[in-house]
Amino acid sequence: MEKKTPPENQTFYQQLGKIVGPENMKTDDRTVSRYAIDGMVPRAVAFPTGTKQVAQAVKAASEARVAIVPWGSGSGQQVGTCLSEMDIVLYLSRMKRVTDFDASNFTVQVEAGLTNAELQTQLAEHNLFFPLRPAHSETSSIGGQVATNGNGPARILYGNLRDLVLGVTVVTPAGEIVHTGGKTMKNVAGLDLCKMFIGSWGTLGVITEAVVRVYPLPEVARGFYITFASPEDAFQMIGRVLDSPLTPSAIELVDPVAGRHMDGIGARLNEGEVLLIITAEGTPGDVERHGKDITELARNHKAKSPTVLEGEEVVKAWRAYHHMHADLLASDPAMIQGKASVPISRLDDLFREVKRVGKGYGVEVGATAHGGNGILYPYFAANDEKASRIIDELKRTAAGLGGFFVVEAAPPQVRKSVQIMPPRNDYALMKRLKAEFDPHNILNPGRLLGGL
Amino acid sequence: MPTVAEQIAETLQRCNKCGLCLAGCPIYKITGIEWTNARGRIALVRSALLDKRVNIDDLKDPIFNCLTCNGCTEHCPAGVPTGEIIFRAREEVLRQHGDSWLQRFLFRKVLRSPSLLYKASRLLRLADVTGLRMLARKLGLTKIIGDAGKAEAMVPKVPPSEGLEAIKRLPAKIKSPRQRVAYFVGCYAPNFAPEKAAATIRVLNRNNIEVEVPDFVCCGLPAAGYGDMDASRELAKTNIEMAEKLKVDAIVTACGSCSSFLKDYAKLLEGDPDWAERAKAFAAKVKDISEYLMEVGLDKKMGELKLKVTYHDPCHLAHYQKIKEQPRALIKSIPGVEFVEMAEADMCCGAAGSYAFKNYDLSRKVLERKMANVARTGADVLVSSCPACVMQLSCGVNQEKMPVRVMEIVELLDQAYRKAEESEKP
Amino acid sequence: MIAKDVVKQLTKIVGKENVLADLKDLIAYSYDATPRQEMPDVIVFPRNTADVSAIMKLAHREKLPVVPRGAGTNLSGGTVPFKGGIVLEISRMNRILEINTANRRVVVEPGVVNLDLQNTLAPLGYFYPPDPASQKSSTLAGNIGENAGGPLCLRYGVTSKYVCGIEIVLADGEVMNIGDYVDDSPGYDLRGLFIGSEGILGVATKLVLHIIPKPEANRTMLAIFDNLEDAGQAVSDIISAGIVPGALELLDQKMCWVIEQSVQAGYPTDSAGVLLIEVAGFADSLNKQVKEIEEICQRSKVKELRIAQTAAERDALWKGRRGAFGAVARICPPYSVCDGTVPRDKLAQALHKVGEIAEKYKVLIANVAHAGDGNLHPLILFDVNKPEEKAAAKKAGDEVLSACIALGGTITGEHGIGLEKLDAMPHLFDPLDIAAMRQVKKVFDPDDILNPGKVLPHEKAEVSAKEKVLH
């Protein structure tokens, strides 16, 4: 899809300045360079203060055929498919208002720029929380999480992001404000456009507000950290936990390579061992029961007694867990992080295969996994040629197990050279949706479906 | 005289199309066609009779391939009486088209006379004994009459029998009976299964009940199922008159279909001022054998039968009379018996009287589903309480070559009592 | 009238035993569980995906409307053939293809009946949470078309949470797989768009569903109140206490009376309302929850609290609730049911408003509500032979929906828009919102042959075109 911006589109930039106010638009090198993506630098960064401004800005951009990159906190900008061009960045993190907080009905409506951590702080005052704990929770914005369908370990109990978002307000690429969904948990009025915008990576519309479902803070939260001598035992235990009435709030697996980057227990894993993190939260009785069953299962699967963490310690441990991801990526400029999703029962095969592939190329592969969802994140550092071959083999492996593999975080040249999106037969329809909503391809061009 | 349409308008309008009846319809589960479930049949009958959008002539299958099992009514929260509506629709069809000589002969002559029925059964026995029936079957002659020809193979070989007259001589004299009952033998037992009638009488006698066997005629259900309500009414009046001459505590029958229709005499004759009260009095005295035995209290001195037993609910017992617990309680009373409940126990077996004669394939498919459920129980014995069911289930067991014995509940009880008697012998 | 040639071509695709076109067939497929009726032109029973694709290719070529249908139990007119055409009946595609508890997945054909799946999963210790009241008759594809709810969704979530992947056939016959057997399939959430799209975007031919282990135990109770505010307060307090009941259903006095006429569930017929409460979880912690609920109810001046002691008692309580809609038919066959949903703490207010509306229009309204999610089902009764009552009922229904919107809610929690609520759409969504929905529809079905006339309000051009045809 071709879209040419006249290099000197003065009219547009003047307009933009008028829309957001001159103090909310920056074109100086120092500012714009902070918003570089994959080596590309925007011509201007705008800081709108509300949905109306966003709509006006997008409308103007649409008419001028200017490429827009919506920006929450930036944590997802260099993940997955590559942006093909950018003219302006629409920085949304000035929009942090809580526009409707219905504590007794457990819903909250927020502007996109509010960070997950900020939301949690506000909710905690009312003894509530938002059960989404993705990586970068401290910094990533709700809007960004919704746009990238960012999930976290809590999904196994509370559901995916798509089950937690009741509605979004979106500015379409034509600059129109569209309201989707509503405030109620049950809502089947019309087509569920809210689902369409979640995980659309800023390519169908700019999410400016979201209504999310919140929950009462659990009375007790306990974490069980279990070290296994072999991954097989760990996966068997996961299978037993899943095939029981237990309802853990996380089932995470960490291998020693990744574990090196996790403060605390992870760092103490020996080669061949794995760490299984199971958390339980709720009433004291329910948590006790989880503790009892998990301890017994651990024993039956040849693990040592779990280390048990409580309350604030669990919070700290999750922080360490999420920092592991950033640490791994920072540890090597050639570090690549992928995501493989396979049927839950094949996770053990996937883990074994991923390690085998790495070994075959003489590359160390670290891995973390959502044990209850069949999702595994391999981390490895390799040069372009080797990286490309490892990626191909991981794709084949995942497909052979009935799933898929995608590259998420990686150096731009890797992400540019690889077919990120796995083979599917519904891309034609997705492309038609994109063409319908964004005929001039001004929103995040190249992202998501770009490489197809 | 109100028309059929006027008489059933209210019941037709009671259906609000919620569709829960789909869950209880064996035919719908086979075909997936909307007008094979209660909602669809009722919508079409309504379309013909009330809305006049379609000719009732064009509704042959919707009206006649319904089992009238009333399995749908178990799920209908509005209480729409599907079986009744279908019967009335058939009545309307008959009224518009007139009946055939064969039908008149059958319902108004043969079934009204136990001796004539007996003679007819001897003719069929002759065909059996001479091998004529088997020959006709082998030559494919039976195929000429379509489904009826296929269904013919399900009717068992006609046994030797001396008819109702012989059965009348069977009851023993009881010294101090708890009660005195009239045994309504029905059309099937005297001619096709006299040993079952004998078992019924023995069980009653064993329970200290005095039995007499009046000359009751056909209860009238077959005629009603065909749509000939007039014939049913005539048969009903004959039976009512007969019963009025008796001094009994109850009129007991071992056929689930008979007990159901006999109890419906009150409704059948409610429009007739000369008979309404008499029919009501009659109906109040009718008891199904399981119902009766549980009411008077079963003599529990039975011998041990080490058997795994499962039970099929006849539709007319379970759905029409809501008699489900009593047969099960009786079976569980027998020492040594392990009772296992089958899945979909109250789903029709596909017999539905003479249904197979007009809808052979559907009847077969319904039976297949039932047989699969029976097989899953691992039972040695399959018990039911209606000759049509037992006949159909026996066919099913034979066809699938299953090591299962099919019998009436009275036969099982009779066996248990005889076992006790044997062990009492010195 | 459809071209005779089309019936012939359909017969070529699926065989004559799978095509119905007599008058009786057309009548039988002209309705669903609402009073609306419109005649189709032909009914076809595809046997598999290839059949569905061939049928759609034909329909696309001839520009014929296609109405996908399961059991036709929906409550919004969703399967009424508004523009005639082909009823595409998927009920014969009813096999369960795969059950894999280790993957927490089942793969089924679209016509599998919801309860049949539950009964197959139960011995394995698993279940599929969406349990709409119609579950013993409704098909899984129908459930997906409406994003069905049910009492259990309070604790477990709605259908969209339990559908992982769908094989669909588009309007032009193209077969594609949206979503996936595995989690987090990349790209746009076409699966999420499809769920609740009421048959206007495509035909589902295979479903990959998410199943979960059954809870260890549950306890069911009936709480009887003398006024609805107290019941509403109890609902709020139970949820605020952090208890997530498996079900929390409210039935008002009129509804209890109606139910007792048809099933003897033991509901009181003279109290303002009852709450049917079920909690699920670990056997040992349930007693504590029951006690907590008891205390909360007492604080809300509960008149009586009955706790089911046996499975039979539990079944009896549920039988009453599940038979509610049909039981209304005993006293009044045609009724209109609203599906308005409000934020939970506005429930008592909403019920009061409903009472006021009933008085204003002099109609009888009986209420059952999924109280835990604020999903009301006021059933408005009227005599179909009296046009003024029918009109009053319509007005009352419209006002109920407006009231729900005014309280911050929506016009349909689980029954869908279908035909019944087209008028209410503009009250909930503004023109830009609806325009965006039309854009999606355009992408999937530019010729508008899939279930035309449903969900999206009729544009003026459409209305006058239809009128032309009738004259």
Side-chain angles (χ1 to χ4, degrees):
Chain A
M1 194 172 284
E2 276 307 300
K3 181 211 70 57
K4 298 246 179 279
T5 317
E8 303 295 324
N9 201 333
Q10 299 284 23
T11 338
F12 167 73
Y13 291 98
Q14 273 168 6
Q15 240 183 321
L16 186 61
K18 276 213 198 84
I19 291 166
V20 296
E23 70 285 5
N24 289 327
M25 189 178 101
K26 298 272 188 276
T27 53
D28 62 286
D29 282 342
R30 227 188 60 176
T31 310
V32 302
S33 60
R34 270 194 251 129
Y35 298 90
I37 297 175
D38 294 338
M40 285 182 292
V41 168
R43 262 184 264 276
V45 181
F47 301 82
T49 53
T51 300
K52 267 230 201 74
Q53 282 186 2
V54 173
Q56 288 166 338
V58 172
K59 184 157 200 289
S62 167
E63 283 158 8
R65 309 287 192 263
V66 164
I68 305 175
V69 173
W71 189 289
S73 62
S75 40
Q77 298 292 8
Q78 293 179 132
V79 169
T81 49
C82 287
L83 189 67
S84 60
E85 59 190 301
M86 69 194 287
D87 292 317
I88 67 161
V89 160
L90 217 53
Y91 180 84
L92 300 165
S93 293
R94 293 251 177 99
M95 294 164 49
K96 285 175 179 288
R97 279 182 302 218
V98 172
T99 49
D100 180 64
F101 185 8
D102 194 343
S104 56
N105 285 304
F106 298 163
T107 63
V108 63
Q109 183 167 344
V110 303
E111 287 187 320
L114 189 68
T115 68
N116 188 303
E118 284 166 342
L119 175 61
Q120 306 291 11
T121 310
Q122 295 199 38
L123 293 172
E125 285 167 26
H126 297 263
N127 208 40
L128 298 167
F129 81 113
F130 178 46
L132 190 81
R133 304 174 187 126
H136 312 297
S137 289
E138 327 264 293
T139 51
S140 62
S141 64
I142 296 293
Q145 284 165 10
V146 173
T148 59
N149 192 21
N151 281 289
R155 65 193 293 178
I156 186 71
L157 178 61
Y158 294 97
N160 296 336
L161 186 62
R162 290 195 172 108
D163 306 314
L164 298 170
V165 177
L166 302 176
V168 289
T169 304
V170 174
V171 171
T172 67
E176 288 169 341
I177 302 173
V178 166
H179 304 95
T180 71
K183 261 187 74 174
T184 56
M185 187 56 211
K186 295 176 70 180
N187 188 352
V188 297
L191 295 176
D192 197 350
L193 300 189
C194 181
K195 295 279 192 305
M196 181 179 79
F197 287 113
I198 298 172
S200 61
W201 287 79
T203 61
L204 290 180
V206 181
I207 295 167
T208 57
E209 292 190 53
V211 182
V212 300
R213 191 182 174 182
V214 298
Y215 288 73
L217 275 166
E219 274 179 77
V220 179
R222 206 166 283 167
F224 303 90
Y225 296 76
I226 313 163
T227 307
F228 290 84
S230 91
E232 284 79 43
D233 294 323
F235 285 113
Q236 290 233 9
M237 172 155 172
I238 292 174
R240 291 295 310 281
V241 169
L242 291 175
D243 189 32
S244 78
L246 293 178
T247 51
S249 52
I251 306 175
E252 298 290 299
L253 197 91
V254 181
D255 90 319
V257 176
R260 257 180 254 141
H261 300 266
M262 182 173 135
D263 296 335
I265 298 171
R268 300 197 287 272
L269 285 174
N270 298 319
E271 191 182 324
E273 291 182 334
V274 291
L275 172 68
L276 184 61
I277 306 170
I278 302 182
T279 60
E281 53 199 68
T283 64
D286 283 354
V287 174
E288 284 295 333
R289 169 63 186 270
H290 276 84
K292 186 166 148 289
D293 285 9
I294 289 167
T295 306
E296 188 177 330
L297 279 172
R299 196 175 33 246
N300 293 345
H301 287 84
K302 301 184 233 140
K304 301 175 227 154
S305 279
T307 304
V308 182
L309 299 184
E310 190 95 35
E312 188 53 40
E313 292 176 328
V314 176
V315 175
K316 266 172 57 193
W318 278 127
R319 229 176 264 139
Y321 182 82
H322 289 309
H323 279 159
M324 170 172 56
H325 170 80
D327 246 41
L328 268 162
L329 289 176
S331 67
D332 192 318
M335 183 64 70
I336 295 166
Q337 173 251 316
K339 174 178 176 181
S341 180
V342 297
I344 297 167
S345 70
R346 307 306 303 274
L347 198 59
D348 53 356
D349 287 336
L350 178 66
F351 182 88
R352 199 182 43 245
E353 286 301 298
V354 159
K355 290 285 187 179
R356 184 193 59 76
V357 169
K359 201 153 175 234
Y361 286 90
V363 161
E364 196 181 56
V365 179
T368 68
H370 295 314
N373 298 88
I375 295 172
L376 187 143
Y377 301 95
Y379 295 80
F380 59 95
N383 68 38
D384 305 336
E385 169 62 27
K386 207 189 259 186
S388 160
R389 283 196 275 147
I390 293 174
I391 288 166
D392 278 343
E393 208 168 323
L394 288 175
K395 282 185 184 180
R396 274 197 299 275
T397 302
L401 292 169
F404 65 87
F405 173 80
V406 292
V407 169
E408 293 204 324
Q413 64 270 30
V414 172
R415 287 163 41 236
K416 282 201 178 89
S417 64
V418 156
Q419 171 76 300
I420 302 271
M421 302 289 277
R424 296 182 58 85
N425 63 20
D426 57 354
Y427 286 140
L429 200 54
M430 292 185 198
K431 283 202 230 175
R432 296 210 297 264
L433 267 177
K434 167 71 174 175
E436 174 63 37
F437 279 89
D438 190 8
H440 307 301
N441 195 21
I442 59 158
L443 268 192
N444 262 355
R447 294 292 249 139
L448 199 62
L449 305 174
L452 293 176
Chain B
M1 180 71 185
T3 62
V4 166
E6 282 160 355
Q7 286 175 55
I8 62 172
E10 186 273 324
T11 55
L12 286 174
Q13 287 169 327
R14 220 188 287 166
C15 171
N16 74 342
K17 303 214 190 69
C18 71
L20 290 181
C21 52
L22 274 60
C25 180
I27 303 296
Y28 176 72
K29 283 185 198 286
I30 292 166
T31 68
I33 298 176
E34 172 69 18
W35 55 252
T36 63
N37 66 53
R39 179 177 65 173
R41 297 187 199 269
I42 289 165
L44 287 178
V45 171
R46 181 177 174 163
S47 284
L49 295 184
L50 299 186
D51 304 332
K52 312 264 194 277
R53 285 168 75 192
V54 64
N55 207 310
I56 205 165
D57 286 341
D58 297 328
L59 300 180
K60 180 172 155 292
D61 279 339
I63 291 174
F64 287 94
N65 79 7
C66 175
L67 291 163
T68 66
C69 67
N70 263 7
C72 46
T73 63
E74 296 284 348
H75 299 275
C76 177
V80 178
T82 309
E84 184 187 313
I85 289 172
I86 296 296
F87 272 26
R88 303 315 300 279
R90 293 175 185 178
E91 184 184 350
E92 180 63 22
V93 170
L94 200 64
R95 195 192 61 78
Q96 288 192 19
H97 288 273
D99 39 27
S100 66
W101 72 266
L102 177 62
Q103 167 242 323
R104 288 192 85 88
F105 180 63
L106 192 59
F107 295 135
R108 288 164 200 253
K109 272 257 152 48
V110 178
L111 292 182
R112 207 162 164 189
S113 160
S115 67
L116 201 52
L117 182 58
Y118 174 67
K119 290 198 181 96
S121 76
R122 295 308 99 194
L123 272 177
L124 189 55
R125 172 155 168 79
L126 193 62
D128 267 334
V129 162
T130 56
L132 258 177
R133 186 162 108 161
M134 187 56 71
L135 188 64
R137 211 184 286 165
K138 285 225 166 85
L139 287 179
L141 290 175
T142 50
K143 290 210 182 86
I144 296 173
I145 44 174
D147 275 10
K150 288 189 218 159
E152 173 281 323
M154 289 169 54
V155 180
K157 272 222 190 94
V158 186
S161 170
E162 291 165 52
L164 194 63
E165 290 311 309
I167 292 171
K168 283 183 186 177
R169 298 193 287 268
L170 289 177
K173 192 90 182 90
I174 306 292
K175 204 102 160 279
S176 323
R178 289 194 285 162
Q179 288 204 358
R180 192 181 159 70
V181 306
Y183 174 29
F184 185 98
V185 189
C187 299
Y188 187 81
N191 305 298
F192 292 89
E195 73 285 358
K196 298 196 193 201
T200 308
I201 291 170
R202 279 196 297 269
V203 167
L204 284 167
N205 284 162
R206 182 74 168 76
N207 275 273
N208 222 16
I209 307 294
E210 193 163 83
V211 179
E212 75 170 271
V213 185
D215 283 303
F216 285 125
V217 299
C218 175
C219 66
L221 178 59
Y226 188 77
D228 191 350
M229 300 307 285
D230 284 340
S232 295
R233 279 185 268 261
E234 292 310 305
L235 291 164
K237 288 174 189 170
T238 306
N239 283 326
I240 292 169
E241 270 177 345
M242 180 130 312
E244 282 167 347
K245 299 191 193 115
L246 308 166
K247 281 196 179 53
V248 291
D249 298 298
I251 300 166
V252 177
T253 176
C255 169
S257 303
C258 295
S259 53
S260 169
F261 201 74
L262 291 171
K263 286 182 184 174
D264 271 349
Y265 276 5
K267 201 154 203 275
L268 184 66
L269 293 166
E270 70 185 346
D272 189 334
D274 295 330
W275 288 91
E277 284 308 308
R278 295 164 75 178
K280 240 169 144 181
F282 176 89
K285 274 214 149 95
V286 174
K287 298 279 175 200
D288 171 77
I289 185 76
S290 299
E291 179 186 23
Y292 182 72
L293 287 172
M294 289 303 288
E295 267 177 31
V296 297
L298 181 75
D299 182 329
K300 297 243 173 93
K301 285 193 297 296
M302 299 183 251
E304 195 177 298
L305 296 179
K306 275 216 171 69
L307 295 168
K308 196 167 182 191
V309 178
T310 189
Y311 175 74
H312 158 77
D313 289 283
C315 295
H316 278 91
L317 261 190
H319 303 309
Y320 281 78
Q321 300 177 67
K322 306 275 182 262
I323 294 174
K324 294 185 204 182
E325 289 314 310
Q326 298 93 320
R328 288 169 168 83
L330 289 175
I331 296 169
K332 287 178 194 169
S333 303
I334 304 174
V337 160
E338 181 199 339
F339 179 77
V340 54
E341 184 72 41
M342 81 165 108
E344 300 179 331
D346 67 350
M347 184 180 279
C348 187
C349 63
S354 60
Y355 183 85
F357 287 75
K358 287 252 168 75
N359 301 278
Y360 184 73
D361 288 332
L362 284 172
S363 175
R364 270 300 289 276
K365 291 207 173 90
V366 175
L367 179 60
E368 275 165 19
R369 189 176 176 126
K370 174 63 62 175
M371 284 300 115
N373 285 323
V374 172
R376 273 191 278 270
T377 63
D380 312 304
V381 176
L382 170 58
V383 171
S384 193
S385 190
C386 164
C389 294
V390 168
M391 182 166 85
Q392 174 89 340
L393 295 169
S394 301
C395 278
V397 153
N398 290 336
Q399 265 155 20
E400 308 284 338
K401 303 214 185 347
M402 291 163 66
V404 177
R405 276 184 296 148
V406 185
M407 62 177 77
E408 299 275 0
I409 194 164
V410 285
E411 291 180 286
L412 189 68
L413 289 167
D414 184 46
Q415 270 186 39
Y417 285 130
R418 301 231 264 183
K419 193 89 191 287
E421 277 160 24
E422 273 166 33
S423 54
E424 276 164 21
K425 286 193 183 119
Chain C
M1 250 340 338
I2 216 175
K4 266 231 141 61
D5 187 51
V6 172
V7 176
K8 243 212 253 151
Q9 289 187 60
L10 286 171
T11 307
K12 258 219 210 114
I13 297 170
V14 295
K16 75 171 176 6
E17 67 281 7
N18 289 311
V19 178
L20 302 177
D22 291 343
L23 178 57
K24 70 175 189 294
D25 305 314
L26 306 183
I27 294 174
Y29 285 90
S30 66
Y31 57 77
D32 59 15
T34 64
R36 295 289 298 249
Q37 284 191 27
E38 303 284 348
M39 296 284 273
D41 292 292
V42 63
I43 297 96
V44 61
F45 290 79
R47 299 156 299 178
N48 48 47
T49 305
D51 281 354
V52 175
S53 177
I55 293 164
M56 289 314 305
K57 284 200 177 94
L58 169 63
H60 189 249
R61 212 167 44 236
E62 306 287 332
K63 298 285 176 276
L64 293 167
V66 174
V67 180
R69 183 186 190 277
T73 57
N74 78 87
L75 292 161
S76 51
T79 48
V80 171
F82 183 65
K83 290 204 174 152
I86 303 170
V87 168
L88 198 144
E89 177 52 76
I90 49 93
S91 62
R92 287 183 180 164
M93 291 169 64
N94 63 355
R95 293 175 302 163
I96 297 175
L97 301 172
E98 176 199 314
I99 299 178
N100 188 318
T101 56
N103 289 337
R104 293 192 165 183
R105 296 286 186 270
V106 296
V107 181
V108 299
E109 288 188 324
V112 172
V113 170
N114 182 303
L115 189 60
D116 287 348
L117 177 64
Q118 311 292 13
N119 290 339
T120 309
L121 293 173
L124 304 171
Y126 280 75
F127 75 118
Y128 171 69
D131 67 331
S134 61
Q135 66 175 162
K136 57 177 153 183
S137 304
S138 59
T139 62
L140 290 166
N143 295 161
I144 286 172
E146 304 287 352
N147 194 8
L152 289 183
C153 72
L154 169 63
R155 180 180 172 87
Y156 297 101
V158 295
T159 291
S160 50
K161 188 172 176 183
Y162 295 92
V163 179
C164 308
I166 317 172
E167 177 190 77
I168 65 171
V169 176
L170 295 179
D172 62 2
E174 191 181 345
V175 181
M176 51 178 52
N177 298 81
I178 58 181
D180 205 334
Y181 188 97
V182 297
D183 277 350
D184 291 2
S185 61
Y188 299 136
D189 191 13
L190 301 181
R191 166 218 74 108
L193 265 179
F194 189 87
I195 298 168
S197 62
E198 307 186 35
I200 71 170
L201 297 183
V203 182
T205 50
K206 201 177 293 178
L207 315 172
V208 181
L209 306 174
H210 179 53
I211 57 172
I212 56 176
K214 288 202 286 192
E216 193 170 72
N218 45 42
R219 301 288 295 281
T220 313
M221 52 205 115
L222 194 73
I224 302 166
F225 292 89
D226 275 328
N227 72 63
L228 290 176
E229 272 94 358
D230 292 339
Q233 189 59 51
V235 168
S236 278
D237 291 347
I238 289 170
I239 308 279
S240 308
I243 298 171
V244 188
L248 189 49
E249 304 283 292
L250 185 146
L251 303 104
D252 74 355
Q253 183 269 329
K254 292 200 179 67
M255 183 54 78
C256 290
W257 181 84
V258 165
I259 286 171
E260 287 302 297
Q261 302 303 306
S262 93
V263 300
Q264 280 68 54
Y267 289 10
T269 54
D270 55 354
S271 300
V274 304
L275 282 181
L276 177 66
I277 309 166
E278 183 163 284
V279 284
F282 299 121
D284 17 359
S285 32
L286 279 183
N287 283 327
K288 208 150 169 256
Q289 277 210 339
V290 169
K291 259 223 113 48
E292 225 184 310
I293 292 173
E294 220 173 339
E295 280 159 23
I296 291 171
C297 288
Q298 274 156 8
R299 281 204 304 273
S300 283
K301 301 186 233 128
V302 68
K303 190 160 113 181
E304 187 192 334
L305 185 69
R306 299 180 200 163
I307 304 173
Q309 297 301 332
T310 64
E313 283 174 24
R314 172 180 184 263
D315 287 345
L317 290 180
W318 273 107
K319 188 173 182 197
R321 167 59 190 91
R322 292 202 188 277
F325 281 39
V328 168
R330 252 188 205 278
I331 57 175
C332 183
Y335 60 77
S336 101
V337 55
C338 303
D339 184 33
T341 302
V342 296
R344 183 186 37 253
D345 66 348
K346 302 281 189 297
L347 185 65
Q349 234 178 303
L351 287 170
H352 254 112
K353 200 82 191 69
V354 169
E356 282 171 20
I357 294 169
E359 280 233 32
K360 176 174 171 188
Y361 291 98
K362 308 250 181 298
V363 285
L364 180 65
I365 304 185
N367 285 289
V368 57
H370 302 300
D373 5 65
N375 190 186
L376 301 147
H377 291 311
L379 280 84
I380 308 174
L381 314 184
F382 59 94
D383 185 344
V384 73
N385 297 313
K386 296 207 177 96
E388 70 274 14
E389 274 193 37
K390 193 171 176 189
K394 173 104 180 50
K395 286 212 191 79
D398 290 343
E399 226 177 279
V400 165
L401 292 185
S402 300
C404 288
I405 297 173
L407 288 167
T410 181
I411 56 181
T412 172
E414 56 187 10
H415 296 167
I417 299 291
L419 291 170
E420 298 291 289
K421 302 182 197 82
L422 287 172
D423 296 342
M425 282 285 275
H427 298 309
L428 186 61
F429 296 111
D430 63 36
L432 288 175
D433 305 335
I434 295 180
M437 292 183 199
R438 288 194 208 283
Q439 281 180 281
V440 171
K441 166 71 172 177
K442 195 171 120 197
V443 166
F444 278 79
D445 179 20
D447 299 312
D448 193 19
I449 63 169
L450 278 167
N451 218 5
K454 311 292 172 67
V455 184
L456 301 171
H458 300 167
E459 288 175 301
K460 285 216 174 58
E462 285 179 62
V463 173
S464 45
K466 185 167 197 282
E467 283 172 346
K468 277 211 191 92
V469 169
L470 290 173
H471 296 105

